[in-house]
Amino acid sequence: MSKLTQTVLGTHAGYGLTVLRIFVGIIFAAHGSQKLFGWFGGNGLAGTAQWMESIGLAPGVLMALLSGGTEFFGGLALIIGLLARPAALGLTFTLLVAIFTVHISNGLFMANNGYEFALALLGGTVAVLIEGAGKVSFDGVISK
């Protein structure tokens, strides 16, 4: 197995990170499906694109596709533990954009649309990025 493959897919993490990865993945897949498909009360691609434009992220359709796609497919990747580190990297960047374009000026707490929830998710994505997918994952099976 190549060094690059081992670096991307390998993990020494245990079951705890597996649980964290799955729960964070569920949240991201659900949020991405709101943006892309309008599921779970979301606005769908057109509504998300319009909102992205309104906050200065243009072109709105491209930004909605990038954020929604990263959240949905990155979330699915975390849930099954396949290419978890690349997914976590994309999700980390998505969260940083969300924090600094939408939430930071509102303070920490969610009650004021602050960055509290995004910061918690950021902790999860950075943990996966550093430690890998955990014991129960396709990455772990492939890297053996």
Side-chain angles (χ1 to χ4, degrees):
M1 176 154 311
S2 76
K3 176 78 171 146
L4 176 63
T5 303
Q6 185 60 36
T7 300
V8 172
L9 300 179
T11 182
H12 299 293
Y15 294 106
L17 196 50
T18 299
V19 171
L20 176 67
R21 168 182 57 77
I22 291 169
F23 280 101
V24 169
I26 290 168
I27 292 167
F28 275 113
H31 276 270
S33 70
Q34 287 180 309
K35 288 179 175 75
L36 294 176
F37 314 120
W39 296 351
F40 307 111
N43 295 322
L45 190 58
T48 302
Q50 185 178 17
W51 179 77
M52 293 275 190
E53 288 270 352
S54 77
I55 63 167
L57 294 174
V61 173
L62 177 62
M63 294 297 115
L65 278 170
L66 287 173
S67 65
T70 301
E71 288 179 6
F72 183 71
F73 293 108
L76 293 179
L78 290 185
I79 291 167
I80 65 173
L82 180 62
L83 298 172
R85 278 193 172 108
L89 180 62
L91 292 166
T92 296
F93 282 119
T94 302
L95 284 166
L96 290 171
V97 170
I99 288 170
F100 288 107
T101 60
V102 177
H103 301 290
I104 197 80
S105 63
N106 299 319
L108 176 64
F109 297 106
M110 278 178 38
N112 300 324
N113 197 28
Y115 57 93
E116 172 182 27
F117 185 58
L119 188 64
L121 290 174
L122 182 64
T125 61
V126 170
V128 173
L129 188 58
I130 293 169
E131 296 294 329
K135 280 216 183 284
V136 182
S137 67
F138 283 106
D139 285 355
V141 171
I142 293 168
S143 68
K144 288 184 181 188

